[in-house]
Amino acid sequence: MIIERVVANANEVSVDHLHKEKVYLASGDLLKRVQRVKTDHGRELGIRLTTERELHRGDILYMDDKNAIVVDVLSNDVLVIRPESLEVMGVIAHQIGNRHTPAQFDGDEMIVEYDYLIEEMLTRQQVAFSREERTLNEAFRPIGHSHD
């Protein structure tokens, strides 16, 4: 089966009454418009989205009267940084930005993909953080950059 468009999202349309198959993707794969995947029931799918669109957790790739195929996201190994002040957050954000490491923010937390060098830097500077497995709603985006 080739999937060319997303039907809807499970946050907008109920699929509770349907038999569900899930496609588990790494968060980085949410950015890919063309890929081959397998559902948790072993069904192989080709995804070839015809629009400039990313996949999201809960996207319904296929739906009929009895079945739905829904995207879910695998957890990520991340560092969750919880600086005690805005000043510390600014310093840490600057240092992480210099490494061109993408970050996400959730309330007072800064979340980056696990990197032992960042972990060492945070430990050395005595910044509060934890290493966690988290399911993220969006992918970390690669940062294009130039030092011209």
Side-chain angles (χ1 to χ4, degrees):
M1 179 185 310
I2 304 292
I3 306 297
E4 294 185 331
R5 67 179 184 83
V6 172
V7 175
N9 190 285
N11 294 326
E12 304 160 353
V13 175
S14 176
V15 291
D16 293 337
H17 62 290
L18 301 174
H19 171 265
K20 285 188 277 299
E21 290 184 55
K22 291 196 174 183
V23 172
Y24 289 96
L25 298 176
S27 65
D29 291 339
L30 296 172
L31 302 173
K32 297 178 182 176
R33 289 184 30 240
V34 178
Q35 58 188 307
R36 173 169 270 154
V37 297
K38 192 180 278 192
T39 71
D40 60 348
H41 289 62
R43 186 187 318 208
E44 288 193 32
L45 304 173
I47 298 174
R48 183 179 61 217
L49 299 179
T50 57
T51 59
E52 290 290 326
R53 184 191 191 287
E54 300 167 4
L55 292 170
H56 298 93
R57 187 176 193 191
D59 277 350
I60 302 168
L61 301 176
Y62 172 82
M63 185 168 64
D64 64 20
D65 295 344
K66 297 178 183 173
N67 302 293
I69 300 175
V70 181
V71 172
D72 206 345
V73 181
L74 298 169
S75 62
N76 288 65
D77 185 10
V78 297
L79 295 172
V80 180
I81 305 165
R82 298 176 188 90
E84 72 266 1
S85 70
L86 186 59
E87 179 182 359
V88 173
M89 175 60 90
V91 169
I92 294 304
H94 178 77
Q95 291 175 349
I96 289 173
N98 276 343
R99 297 172 185 266
H100 302 285
T101 299
Q104 295 182 18
F105 295 88
D106 185 13
D108 292 342
E109 299 175 334
M110 179 181 202
I111 304 167
V112 298
E113 287 184 294
Y114 176 77
D115 179 319
Y116 76 94
L117 293 172
I118 293 176
E119 182 179 42
E120 288 175 1
M121 175 191 68
L122 295 169
T123 301
R124 197 171 45 254
Q125 295 184 21
Q126 299 178 338
V127 175
F129 75 94
S130 59
R131 183 176 179 183
E132 301 177 12
E133 284 288 323
R134 279 211 185 170
T135 302
L136 304 172
N137 290 324
E138 60 185 68
F140 286 106
R141 298 190 170 288
I143 299 173
H145 58 85
S146 168
H147 291 281
D148 295 339

